[in-house]
Amino acid sequence: MINILAIESSCDETSAAIIQDGKVLSNLIATQKVHEKYGGVVPELASRAHIQNIIPVVDVAFKEAGIDKKDIHAVAFTQAPGLIGSLLVGACFAKSFAQALNKPLIAVHHLQAHVLSHFIDAQPPFPFLCLTVSGGHTQIVLCKDHLDMTVLGETMDDAAGEAFDKVAKMLGLPYPGGPLVDKNAALGNPDKFKFPMSEMKDFEYSFSGIKTSVLYFLQAQKKLNPHFIEENLFDICASVQHTIVKTLLLKLEKAAKAYKIKHIGIAGGVSANSALRKALIESGEKNNWQVYIPKFEYCTDNAAMIGITAYYKYLKGQFCDLTTTPSARAIWA
Ligand code: KG4
Ligand code: ZN
């Protein structure tokens, strides 16, 4: 039996999980409310909140899992990418904990972990194609094995989650706006307003264009009617969401066809989006795919996905030592 303590602290969630033989015994997530009033994550405040949260979160993770600290076989942490101060808190904690208990350390790549969140409750066969859509990244990943992944294409500028959050901000919605756009969109008409879809080569994305077009559109409409946003909030959200989701699916379908893959998943914070989840199911029916949609608790940042990745690394003996340092940007681990 292999028990792993996993820590995730790359952005503004402090999370700890205990994984036993690839199964989640506990997965605690402390979200940081402090950023809300600033309309985005303030890195220094995130680091401070991680310092306050990490010990209680780990403590509860052990209690909920019902296992003792001495029964851990390895300690895993998110090494990259992320906010450097936030990563440092998790890494320093994990290193100290591992050293105190004389257990091995496992460094995990955050984006690899988002993809492997699909392997917590299921076992998609390889090759498996995953669209990872988070606040910081948008990429189509080809998985040949648990730890053998290639990024086929990614965004050249803003991530899909960033586009959701920035549009939400223009509409006066609080941070993080993605879930609120989703909520308002449910009551609107997705065909009411037309926004341009980016035209990028191969499997690349771009989301800065839609953000700018929404900005200009809102500025023009507000000149004609100062109450335009309040009166059309549902339809604006539905139309923007529709454009983002359509763009995401277009390249995913293209990649699936090019690589002849039938097992397709979505991961990352934006995979919680109801329109994206629905669109993937529809695409699956149309293209005869087996689709994989993560549980909500495994969409946004969580330590369970770090733990499952660490479990596969443990099986392959991929450990790191105390000289391993976190990195704000990093290629696949
Ligand atoms: O994966 P994640 O928790 O953090 C990063 O690694 O970036 O993703 C956070 C992103 C935010 O941009 C948030 O607005 C977006 O995921 N998000 C959503 C929804 N839930 C979270 N975007 C659209 N619809 C949602 N339901
Ligand atoms: Zn993430």
Side-chain angles (χ1 to χ4, degrees):
M1 190 188 290
I2 297 159
N3 295 323
I4 295 175
L5 164 66
I7 309 286
E8 153 63 31
S9 69
S10 64
C11 191
D12 59 342
E13 332 265 13
T14 319
S15 183
I18 309 285
I19 307 290
Q20 185 172 76
D21 293 333
K23 295 272 161 283
V24 179
L25 297 187
S26 63
N27 181 38
L28 271 287
I29 305 170
T31 42
Q32 303 178 354
K33 286 268 164 237
V34 64
H35 309 288
E36 227 171 70
K37 61 175 178 283
Y38 300 100
V41 178
V42 183
E44 175 62 17
L45 296 182
S47 310
R48 292 183 203 174
H50 283 306
I51 291 170
Q52 285 185 330
N53 293 344
I54 193 133
I55 291 174
V57 167
V58 170
D59 196 39
V60 178
F62 271 106
K63 285 191 178 122
E64 274 199 9
I67 66 161
D68 196 83
K69 293 176 184 61
K70 67 174 178 357
D71 297 326
I72 285 295
H73 297 85
V75 183
F77 65 98
T78 306
Q79 188 228 342
L83 300 172
I84 195 66
S86 293
L87 289 167
L88 272 167
V89 177
C92 290
F93 178 88
K95 285 181 185 182
S96 317
F97 202 88
Q99 205 179 23
L101 293 170
N102 198 23
K103 304 290 178 190
L105 262 179
I106 301 174
V108 172
H109 194 287
H110 183 84
L111 293 169
Q112 193 167 32
H114 268 304
V115 175
L116 291 181
S117 62
H118 284 290
F119 293 78
I120 294 173
D121 291 323
Q123 282 298 326
F126 299 109
F128 171 64
L129 197 64
C130 185
L131 170 68
T132 306
V133 267
S134 69
H137 298 85
T138 301
Q139 46 185 224
I140 298 177
V141 183
L142 167 65
C143 311
K144 287 164 254 163
D145 198 359
H146 297 109
L147 303 175
D148 184 0
M149 300 183 189
T150 309
V151 178
L152 299 180
E154 56 192 334
T155 181
M156 294 293 109
D157 41 57
D158 289 355
E162 221 171 330
F164 269 108
D165 294 340
K166 286 177 178 170
V167 167
K169 200 170 181 178
M170 292 175 209
L171 297 173
L173 301 171
Y175 181 86
L180 296 169
V181 172
D182 190 357
K183 210 168 149 195
N184 286 300
L187 304 167
N189 173 6
D191 298 313
K192 180 74 184 281
F193 305 113
K194 291 271 172 275
F195 298 107
M197 282 171 64
S198 59
E199 284 179 28
M200 303 293 287
K201 70 173 169 61
D202 303 329
F203 312 118
E204 287 174 0
Y205 289 109
S206 163
F207 290 101
S208 63
I210 180 159
K211 178 190 69 186
T212 314
S213 74
V214 173
L215 178 70
Y216 290 159
F217 169 77
L218 293 178
Q219 281 172 350
Q221 294 298 327
K222 279 197 289 190
K223 269 192 197 144
L224 303 172
N225 171 12
H227 303 293
F228 180 78
I229 292 181
E230 299 94 282
E231 289 169 9
N232 295 278
L233 184 65
F234 300 154
D235 292 338
I236 303 168
C237 288
S239 302
V240 171
Q241 178 172 278
H242 178 66
T243 312
I244 295 175
V245 168
K246 221 165 126 186
T247 308
L248 288 170
L249 258 297
L250 196 76
K251 292 299 175 95
L252 186 60
E253 286 191 345
K254 191 175 171 182
K257 210 180 238 172
Y259 286 83
K260 299 188 175 52
I261 300 178
K262 294 279 181 193
H263 292 269
I264 320 275
I266 49 175
V270 182
S271 67
N273 183 268
S274 56
L276 178 60
R277 292 165 90 92
K278 192 163 160 262
L280 183 72
I281 293 169
E282 285 167 4
S283 254
E285 283 164 2
K286 188 178 83 188
N287 297 297
N288 199 20
W289 293 345
Q290 171 77 38
V291 300
Y292 300 85
I293 296 177
K295 278 187 189 163
F296 284 111
E297 64 259 44
Y298 302 141
C299 290
T300 45
D301 291 346
N302 65 87
M305 68 183 194
I306 304 302
I308 190 83
T309 310
Y311 173 65
Y312 290 111
K313 290 190 125 186
Y314 185 99
L315 296 179
K316 290 234 160 87
Q318 295 184 11
F319 301 107
C320 69
D321 60 27
L322 293 174
T323 63
T324 302
T325 47
S327 165
R329 293 174 178 275
I331 51 161
W332 289 99

PDB file of all heavy atoms in Angstrom, residues 57-93:
ATOM      1  N   VAL A  57      -4.496  23.054   6.800  1.00  0.00           N
ATOM      2  CA  VAL A  57      -5.053  22.266   5.687  1.00  0.00           C
ATOM      3  C   VAL A  57      -4.454  20.858   5.674  1.00  0.00           C
ATOM      4  O   VAL A  57      -5.173  19.860   5.533  1.00  0.00           O
ATOM      5  CB  VAL A  57      -4.816  23.001   4.336  1.00  0.00           C
ATOM      6  CG1 VAL A  57      -5.076  22.082   3.148  1.00  0.00           C
ATOM      7  CG2 VAL A  57      -5.724  24.225   4.228  1.00  0.00           C
ATOM      8  N   VAL A  58      -3.142  20.768   5.870  1.00  0.00           N
ATOM      9  CA  VAL A  58      -2.493  19.448   5.895  1.00  0.00           C
ATOM     10  C   VAL A  58      -3.010  18.643   7.098  1.00  0.00           C
ATOM     11  O   VAL A  58      -3.298  17.438   6.981  1.00  0.00           O
ATOM     12  CB  VAL A  58      -0.951  19.587   5.944  1.00  0.00           C
ATOM     13  CG1 VAL A  58      -0.283  18.248   6.216  1.00  0.00           C
ATOM     14  CG2 VAL A  58      -0.434  20.185   4.632  1.00  0.00           C
ATOM     15  N   ASP A  59      -3.148  19.316   8.224  1.00  0.00           N
ATOM     16  CA  ASP A  59      -3.616  18.651   9.436  1.00  0.00           C
ATOM     17  C   ASP A  59      -4.986  18.012   9.213  1.00  0.00           C
ATOM     18  O   ASP A  59      -5.199  16.833   9.529  1.00  0.00           O
ATOM     19  CB  ASP A  59      -3.681  19.721  10.553  1.00  0.00           C
ATOM     20  CG  ASP A  59      -3.771  19.086  11.911  1.00  0.00           C
ATOM     21  OD1 ASP A  59      -3.087  18.060  12.121  1.00  0.00           O
ATOM     22  OD2 ASP A  59      -4.553  19.586  12.748  1.00  0.00           O
ATOM     23  N   VAL A  60      -5.910  18.777   8.617  1.00  0.00           N
ATOM     24  CA  VAL A  60      -7.255  18.248   8.380  1.00  0.00           C
ATOM     25  C   VAL A  60      -7.207  17.135   7.324  1.00  0.00           C
ATOM     26  O   VAL A  60      -7.950  16.149   7.417  1.00  0.00           O
ATOM     27  CB  VAL A  60      -8.241  19.383   7.976  1.00  0.00           C
ATOM     28  CG1 VAL A  60      -9.624  18.817   7.694  1.00  0.00           C
ATOM     29  CG2 VAL A  60      -8.330  20.438   9.067  1.00  0.00           C
ATOM     30  N   ALA A  61      -6.325  17.290   6.334  1.00  0.00           N
ATOM     31  CA  ALA A  61      -6.219  16.251   5.289  1.00  0.00           C
ATOM     32  C   ALA A  61      -5.849  14.906   5.926  1.00  0.00           C
ATOM     33  O   ALA A  61      -6.412  13.866   5.572  1.00  0.00           O
ATOM     34  CB  ALA A  61      -5.191  16.656   4.236  1.00  0.00           C
ATOM     35  N   PHE A  62      -4.931  14.936   6.881  1.00  0.00           N
ATOM     36  CA  PHE A  62      -4.552  13.691   7.583  1.00  0.00           C
ATOM     37  C   PHE A  62      -5.725  13.148   8.393  1.00  0.00           C
ATOM     38  O   PHE A  62      -6.020  11.956   8.369  1.00  0.00           O
ATOM     39  CB  PHE A  62      -3.348  13.931   8.501  1.00  0.00           C
ATOM     40  CG  PHE A  62      -2.038  13.718   7.809  1.00  0.00           C
ATOM     41  CD1 PHE A  62      -1.235  14.786   7.447  1.00  0.00           C
ATOM     42  CD2 PHE A  62      -1.604  12.432   7.506  1.00  0.00           C
ATOM     43  CE1 PHE A  62      -0.023  14.587   6.791  1.00  0.00           C
ATOM     44  CE2 PHE A  62      -0.397  12.220   6.851  1.00  0.00           C
ATOM     45  CZ  PHE A  62       0.394  13.301   6.503  1.00  0.00           C
ATOM     46  N   LYS A  63      -6.410  14.067   9.111  1.00  0.00           N
ATOM     47  CA  LYS A  63      -7.527  13.630   9.971  1.00  0.00           C
ATOM     48  C   LYS A  63      -8.622  13.001   9.135  1.00  0.00           C
ATOM     49  O   LYS A  63      -9.154  11.947   9.468  1.00  0.00           O
ATOM     50  CB  LYS A  63      -8.065  14.820  10.769  1.00  0.00           C
ATOM     51  CG  LYS A  63      -7.127  15.186  11.906  1.00  0.00           C
ATOM     52  CD  LYS A  63      -7.747  16.166  12.879  1.00  0.00           C
ATOM     53  CE  LYS A  63      -6.755  16.442  14.007  1.00  0.00           C
ATOM     54  NZ  LYS A  63      -6.424  17.862  14.141  1.00  0.00           N
ATOM     55  N   GLU A  64      -8.982  13.662   8.029  1.00  0.00           N
ATOM     56  CA  GLU A  64     -10.064  13.133   7.171  1.00  0.00           C
ATOM     57  C   GLU A  64      -9.692  11.794   6.542  1.00  0.00           C
ATOM     58  O   GLU A  64     -10.536  10.936   6.354  1.00  0.00           O
ATOM     59  CB  GLU A  64     -10.398  14.132   6.064  1.00  0.00           C
ATOM     60  CG  GLU A  64     -11.398  15.150   6.533  1.00  0.00           C
ATOM     61  CD  GLU A  64     -12.108  15.854   5.387  1.00  0.00           C
ATOM     62  OE1 GLU A  64     -11.958  15.446   4.219  1.00  0.00           O
ATOM     63  OE2 GLU A  64     -12.816  16.821   5.687  1.00  0.00           O
ATOM     64  N   ALA A  65      -8.414  11.663   6.210  1.00  0.00           N
ATOM     65  CA  ALA A  65      -7.970  10.410   5.578  1.00  0.00           C
ATOM     66  C   ALA A  65      -7.895   9.282   6.612  1.00  0.00           C
ATOM     67  O   ALA A  65      -7.945   8.104   6.263  1.00  0.00           O
ATOM     68  CB  ALA A  65      -6.611  10.618   4.922  1.00  0.00           C
ATOM     69  N   GLY A  66      -7.764   9.680   7.878  1.00  0.00           N
ATOM     70  CA  GLY A  66      -7.695   8.673   8.950  1.00  0.00           C
ATOM     71  C   GLY A  66      -6.379   7.918   8.960  1.00  0.00           C
ATOM     72  O   GLY A  66      -6.339   6.761   9.361  1.00  0.00           O
ATOM     73  N   ILE A  67      -5.321   8.559   8.503  1.00  0.00           N
ATOM     74  CA  ILE A  67      -4.018   7.880   8.586  1.00  0.00           C
ATOM     75  C   ILE A  67      -3.015   8.756   9.329  1.00  0.00           C
ATOM     76  O   ILE A  67      -3.182   9.976   9.426  1.00  0.00           O
ATOM     77  CB  ILE A  67      -3.454   7.456   7.206  1.00  0.00           C
ATOM     78  CG1 ILE A  67      -3.112   8.663   6.358  1.00  0.00           C
ATOM     79  CG2 ILE A  67      -4.375   6.522   6.458  1.00  0.00           C
ATOM     80  CD1 ILE A  67      -2.168   8.266   5.247  1.00  0.00           C
ATOM     81  N   ASP A  68      -1.982   8.124   9.807  1.00  0.00           N
ATOM     82  CA  ASP A  68      -0.985   8.813  10.608  1.00  0.00           C
ATOM     83  C   ASP A  68       0.169   9.313   9.728  1.00  0.00           C
ATOM     84  O   ASP A  68       0.457   8.711   8.697  1.00  0.00           O
ATOM     85  CB  ASP A  68      -0.437   7.835  11.655  1.00  0.00           C
ATOM     86  CG  ASP A  68       0.302   8.578  12.751  1.00  0.00           C
ATOM     87  OD1 ASP A  68      -0.376   9.056  13.678  1.00  0.00           O
ATOM     88  OD2 ASP A  68       1.551   8.694  12.651  1.00  0.00           O
ATOM     89  N   LYS A  69       0.818  10.389  10.181  1.00  0.00           N
ATOM     90  CA  LYS A  69       1.918  10.983   9.397  1.00  0.00           C
ATOM     91  C   LYS A  69       3.022   9.966   9.096  1.00  0.00           C
ATOM     92  O   LYS A  69       3.618   9.961   8.034  1.00  0.00           O
ATOM     93  CB  LYS A  69       2.498  12.185  10.128  1.00  0.00           C
ATOM     94  CG  LYS A  69       1.532  13.343  10.219  1.00  0.00           C
ATOM     95  CD  LYS A  69       2.092  14.485  11.021  1.00  0.00           C
ATOM     96  CE  LYS A  69       1.070  15.605  11.183  1.00  0.00           C
ATOM     97  NZ  LYS A  69      -0.174  15.211  11.885  1.00  0.00           N
ATOM     98  N   LYS A  70       3.281   9.089  10.064  1.00  0.00           N
ATOM     99  CA  LYS A  70       4.391   8.141   9.869  1.00  0.00           C
ATOM    100  C   LYS A  70       4.073   7.082   8.792  1.00  0.00           C
ATOM    101  O   LYS A  70       4.959   6.390   8.303  1.00  0.00           O
ATOM    102  CB  LYS A  70       4.799   7.488  11.202  1.00  0.00           C
ATOM    103  CG  LYS A  70       3.757   6.571  11.778  1.00  0.00           C
ATOM    104  CD  LYS A  70       4.289   5.863  13.014  1.00  0.00           C
ATOM    105  CE  LYS A  70       3.305   4.943  13.694  1.00  0.00           C
ATOM    106  NZ  LYS A  70       1.941   4.808  13.238  1.00  0.00           N
ATOM    107  N   ASP A  71       2.768   6.996   8.402  1.00  0.00           N
ATOM    108  CA  ASP A  71       2.380   5.994   7.391  1.00  0.00           C
ATOM    109  C   ASP A  71       2.446   6.515   5.958  1.00  0.00           C
ATOM    110  O   ASP A  71       1.983   5.856   5.025  1.00  0.00           O
ATOM    111  CB  ASP A  71       0.969   5.465   7.686  1.00  0.00           C
ATOM    112  CG  ASP A  71       0.937   4.758   9.024  1.00  0.00           C
ATOM    113  OD1 ASP A  71       1.958   4.128   9.386  1.00  0.00           O
ATOM    114  OD2 ASP A  71      -0.071   4.864   9.735  1.00  0.00           O
ATOM    115  N   ILE A  72       3.005   7.704   5.800  1.00  0.00           N
ATOM    116  CA  ILE A  72       3.170   8.288   4.461  1.00  0.00           C
ATOM    117  C   ILE A  72       4.434   7.702   3.799  1.00  0.00           C
ATOM    118  O   ILE A  72       5.452   7.521   4.460  1.00  0.00           O
ATOM    119  CB  ILE A  72       3.326   9.836   4.631  1.00  0.00           C
ATOM    120  CG1 ILE A  72       1.971  10.458   4.957  1.00  0.00           C
ATOM    121  CG2 ILE A  72       3.934  10.509   3.425  1.00  0.00           C
ATOM    122  CD1 ILE A  72       0.964  10.330   3.851  1.00  0.00           C
ATOM    123  N   HIS A  73       4.336   7.411   2.499  1.00  0.00           N
ATOM    124  CA  HIS A  73       5.496   6.859   1.782  1.00  0.00           C
ATOM    125  C   HIS A  73       6.248   7.908   0.981  1.00  0.00           C
ATOM    126  O   HIS A  73       7.396   7.677   0.592  1.00  0.00           O
ATOM    127  CB  HIS A  73       5.056   5.731   0.850  1.00  0.00           C
ATOM    128  CG  HIS A  73       4.470   4.580   1.593  1.00  0.00           C
ATOM    129  ND1 HIS A  73       3.147   4.530   1.974  1.00  0.00           N
ATOM    130  CD2 HIS A  73       5.058   3.455   2.075  1.00  0.00           C
ATOM    131  CE1 HIS A  73       2.925   3.415   2.641  1.00  0.00           C
ATOM    132  NE2 HIS A  73       4.064   2.754   2.736  1.00  0.00           N
ATOM    133  N   ALA A  74       5.577   9.025   0.678  1.00  0.00           N
ATOM    134  CA  ALA A  74       6.255  10.102  -0.066  1.00  0.00           C
ATOM    135  C   ALA A  74       5.470  11.398   0.100  1.00  0.00           C
ATOM    136  O   ALA A  74       4.275  11.372   0.428  1.00  0.00           O
ATOM    137  CB  ALA A  74       6.347   9.745  -1.544  1.00  0.00           C
ATOM    138  N   VAL A  75       6.168  12.512  -0.116  1.00  0.00           N
ATOM    139  CA  VAL A  75       5.527  13.831  -0.053  1.00  0.00           C
ATOM    140  C   VAL A  75       5.693  14.484  -1.419  1.00  0.00           C
ATOM    141  O   VAL A  75       6.801  14.577  -1.952  1.00  0.00           O
ATOM    142  CB  VAL A  75       6.174  14.724   1.037  1.00  0.00           C
ATOM    143  CG1 VAL A  75       5.442  16.057   1.128  1.00  0.00           C
ATOM    144  CG2 VAL A  75       6.166  14.019   2.387  1.00  0.00           C
ATOM    145  N   ALA A  76       4.555  14.925  -1.995  1.00  0.00           N
ATOM    146  CA  ALA A  76       4.588  15.531  -3.332  1.00  0.00           C
ATOM    147  C   ALA A  76       4.200  17.000  -3.256  1.00  0.00           C
ATOM    148  O   ALA A  76       3.402  17.390  -2.392  1.00  0.00           O
ATOM    149  CB  ALA A  76       3.622  14.796  -4.251  1.00  0.00           C
ATOM    150  N   PHE A  77       4.737  17.784  -4.153  1.00  0.00           N
ATOM    151  CA  PHE A  77       4.380  19.213  -4.190  1.00  0.00           C
ATOM    152  C   PHE A  77       4.392  19.708  -5.629  1.00  0.00           C
ATOM    153  O   PHE A  77       5.061  19.139  -6.491  1.00  0.00           O
ATOM    154  CB  PHE A  77       5.353  20.040  -3.333  1.00  0.00           C
ATOM    155  CG  PHE A  77       6.774  20.042  -3.850  1.00  0.00           C
ATOM    156  CD1 PHE A  77       7.248  21.105  -4.624  1.00  0.00           C
ATOM    157  CD2 PHE A  77       7.629  18.984  -3.582  1.00  0.00           C
ATOM    158  CE1 PHE A  77       8.558  21.108  -5.107  1.00  0.00           C
ATOM    159  CE2 PHE A  77       8.942  18.979  -4.076  1.00  0.00           C
ATOM    160  CZ  PHE A  77       9.410  20.036  -4.827  1.00  0.00           C
ATOM    161  N   THR A  78       3.630  20.784  -5.876  1.00  0.00           N
ATOM    162  CA  THR A  78       3.626  21.404  -7.199  1.00  0.00           C
ATOM    163  C   THR A  78       4.914  22.197  -7.349  1.00  0.00           C
ATOM    164  O   THR A  78       5.164  23.131  -6.583  1.00  0.00           O
ATOM    165  CB  THR A  78       2.420  22.356  -7.350  1.00  0.00           C
ATOM    166  OG1 THR A  78       1.243  21.627  -7.039  1.00  0.00           O
ATOM    167  CG2 THR A  78       2.335  22.915  -8.762  1.00  0.00           C
ATOM    168  N   GLN A  79       5.694  21.808  -8.347  1.00  0.00           N
ATOM    169  CA  GLN A  79       6.984  22.488  -8.537  1.00  0.00           C
ATOM    170  C   GLN A  79       6.855  23.656  -9.518  1.00  0.00           C
ATOM    171  O   GLN A  79       7.537  24.648  -9.420  1.00  0.00           O
ATOM    172  CB  GLN A  79       8.000  21.474  -9.055  1.00  0.00           C
ATOM    173  CG  GLN A  79       9.413  22.019  -9.109  1.00  0.00           C
ATOM    174  CD  GLN A  79      10.078  21.725 -10.437  1.00  0.00           C
ATOM    175  OE1 GLN A  79       9.637  20.865 -11.182  1.00  0.00           O
ATOM    176  NE2 GLN A  79      11.131  22.452 -10.729  1.00  0.00           N
ATOM    177  N   ALA A  80       5.971  23.505 -10.521  1.00  0.00           N
ATOM    178  CA  ALA A  80       5.827  24.527 -11.558  1.00  0.00           C
ATOM    179  C   ALA A  80       4.630  24.185 -12.423  1.00  0.00           C
ATOM    180  O   ALA A  80       4.171  23.046 -12.397  1.00  0.00           O
ATOM    181  CB  ALA A  80       7.089  24.540 -12.431  1.00  0.00           C
ATOM    182  N   PRO A  81       4.132  25.102 -13.220  1.00  0.00           N
ATOM    183  CA  PRO A  81       4.366  26.543 -13.151  1.00  0.00           C
ATOM    184  C   PRO A  81       3.395  27.187 -12.148  1.00  0.00           C
ATOM    185  O   PRO A  81       2.476  26.529 -11.682  1.00  0.00           O
ATOM    186  CB  PRO A  81       4.051  26.992 -14.588  1.00  0.00           C
ATOM    187  CG  PRO A  81       3.015  26.027 -15.068  1.00  0.00           C
ATOM    188  CD  PRO A  81       3.266  24.726 -14.335  1.00  0.00           C
ATOM    189  N   GLY A  82       3.602  28.455 -11.867  1.00  0.00           N
ATOM    190  CA  GLY A  82       2.727  29.152 -10.928  1.00  0.00           C
ATOM    191  C   GLY A  82       3.366  30.427 -10.430  1.00  0.00           C
ATOM    192  O   GLY A  82       4.402  30.857 -10.936  1.00  0.00           O
ATOM    193  N   LEU A  83       2.737  31.014  -9.408  1.00  0.00           N
ATOM    194  CA  LEU A  83       3.298  32.217  -8.789  1.00  0.00           C
ATOM    195  C   LEU A  83       4.456  31.766  -7.906  1.00  0.00           C
ATOM    196  O   LEU A  83       4.284  30.858  -7.077  1.00  0.00           O
ATOM    197  CB  LEU A  83       2.238  32.917  -7.936  1.00  0.00           C
ATOM    198  CG  LEU A  83       0.981  33.372  -8.683  1.00  0.00           C
ATOM    199  CD1 LEU A  83      -0.072  33.869  -7.700  1.00  0.00           C
ATOM    200  CD2 LEU A  83       1.343  34.469  -9.681  1.00  0.00           C
ATOM    201  N   ILE A  84       5.600  32.381  -8.071  1.00  0.00           N
ATOM    202  CA  ILE A  84       6.789  31.840  -7.412  1.00  0.00           C
ATOM    203  C   ILE A  84       6.681  31.850  -5.881  1.00  0.00           C
ATOM    204  O   ILE A  84       7.059  30.876  -5.217  1.00  0.00           O
ATOM    205  CB  ILE A  84       8.094  32.513  -7.929  1.00  0.00           C
ATOM    206  CG1 ILE A  84       9.314  31.704  -7.511  1.00  0.00           C
ATOM    207  CG2 ILE A  84       8.222  33.953  -7.495  1.00  0.00           C
ATOM    208  CD1 ILE A  84       9.406  30.335  -8.140  1.00  0.00           C
ATOM    209  N   GLY A  85       6.132  32.913  -5.317  1.00  0.00           N
ATOM    210  CA  GLY A  85       5.992  32.976  -3.854  1.00  0.00           C
ATOM    211  C   GLY A  85       5.063  31.882  -3.346  1.00  0.00           C
ATOM    212  O   GLY A  85       5.322  31.236  -2.319  1.00  0.00           O
ATOM    213  N   SER A  86       3.989  31.665  -4.072  1.00  0.00           N
ATOM    214  CA  SER A  86       3.018  30.632  -3.690  1.00  0.00           C
ATOM    215  C   SER A  86       3.642  29.243  -3.789  1.00  0.00           C
ATOM    216  O   SER A  86       3.498  28.413  -2.881  1.00  0.00           O
ATOM    217  CB  SER A  86       1.802  30.703  -4.614  1.00  0.00           C
ATOM    218  OG  SER A  86       1.096  31.891  -4.406  1.00  0.00           O
ATOM    219  N   LEU A  87       4.354  28.993  -4.892  1.00  0.00           N
ATOM    220  CA  LEU A  87       5.011  27.695  -5.072  1.00  0.00           C
ATOM    221  C   LEU A  87       6.024  27.443  -3.957  1.00  0.00           C
ATOM    222  O   LEU A  87       6.147  26.320  -3.446  1.00  0.00           O
ATOM    223  CB  LEU A  87       5.732  27.653  -6.424  1.00  0.00           C
ATOM    224  CG  LEU A  87       4.843  27.585  -7.673  1.00  0.00           C
ATOM    225  CD1 LEU A  87       5.676  27.864  -8.919  1.00  0.00           C
ATOM    226  CD2 LEU A  87       4.161  26.222  -7.795  1.00  0.00           C
ATOM    227  N   LEU A  88       6.758  28.498  -3.594  1.00  0.00           N
ATOM    228  CA  LEU A  88       7.796  28.360  -2.569  1.00  0.00           C
ATOM    229  C   LEU A  88       7.233  27.885  -1.233  1.00  0.00           C
ATOM    230  O   LEU A  88       7.864  27.074  -0.542  1.00  0.00           O
ATOM    231  CB  LEU A  88       8.515  29.701  -2.366  1.00  0.00           C
ATOM    232  CG  LEU A  88       9.704  29.957  -3.292  1.00  0.00           C
ATOM    233  CD1 LEU A  88      10.129  31.417  -3.229  1.00  0.00           C
ATOM    234  CD2 LEU A  88      10.871  29.039  -2.916  1.00  0.00           C
ATOM    235  N   VAL A  89       6.046  28.387  -0.883  1.00  0.00           N
ATOM    236  CA  VAL A  89       5.455  27.990   0.404  1.00  0.00           C
ATOM    237  C   VAL A  89       5.189  26.481   0.405  1.00  0.00           C
ATOM    238  O   VAL A  89       5.579  25.767   1.336  1.00  0.00           O
ATOM    239  CB  VAL A  89       4.147  28.772   0.689  1.00  0.00           C
ATOM    240  CG1 VAL A  89       3.523  28.293   1.994  1.00  0.00           C
ATOM    241  CG2 VAL A  89       4.414  30.270   0.743  1.00  0.00           C
ATOM    242  N   GLY A  90       4.567  25.989  -0.669  1.00  0.00           N
ATOM    243  CA  GLY A  90       4.261  24.554  -0.759  1.00  0.00           C
ATOM    244  C   GLY A  90       5.525  23.714  -0.810  1.00  0.00           C
ATOM    245  O   GLY A  90       5.623  22.679  -0.149  1.00  0.00           O
ATOM    246  N   ALA A  91       6.503  24.174  -1.604  1.00  0.00           N
ATOM    247  CA  ALA A  91       7.746  23.408  -1.766  1.00  0.00           C
ATOM    248  C   ALA A  91       8.512  23.346  -0.444  1.00  0.00           C
ATOM    249  O   ALA A  91       8.994  22.272  -0.052  1.00  0.00           O
ATOM    250  CB  ALA A  91       8.605  24.048  -2.858  1.00  0.00           C
ATOM    251  N   CYS A  92       8.620  24.482   0.239  1.00  0.00           N
ATOM    252  CA  CYS A  92       9.372  24.506   1.505  1.00  0.00           C
ATOM    253  C   CYS A  92       8.683  23.625   2.543  1.00  0.00           C
ATOM    254  O   CYS A  92       9.345  22.879   3.281  1.00  0.00           O
ATOM    255  CB  CYS A  92       9.503  25.927   2.045  1.00  0.00           C
ATOM    256  SG  CYS A  92      10.590  26.905   1.019  1.00  0.00           S
ATOM    257  N   PHE A  93       7.347  23.701   2.572  1.00  0.00           N
ATOM    258  CA  PHE A  93       6.622  22.860   3.521  1.00  0.00           C
ATOM    259  C   PHE A  93       6.881  21.384   3.213  1.00  0.00           C
ATOM    260  O   PHE A  93       7.220  20.597   4.098  1.00  0.00           O
ATOM    261  CB  PHE A  93       5.115  23.156   3.476  1.00  0.00           C
ATOM    262  CG  PHE A  93       4.345  22.269   4.405  1.00  0.00           C
ATOM    263  CD1 PHE A  93       4.153  22.630   5.731  1.00  0.00           C
ATOM    264  CD2 PHE A  93       3.867  21.036   3.975  1.00  0.00           C
ATOM    265  CE1 PHE A  93       3.488  21.784   6.616  1.00  0.00           C
ATOM    266  CE2 PHE A  93       3.207  20.180   4.845  1.00  0.00           C
ATOM    267  CZ  PHE A  93       3.015  20.559   6.167  1.00  0.00           C
TER     268      PHE A  93
END
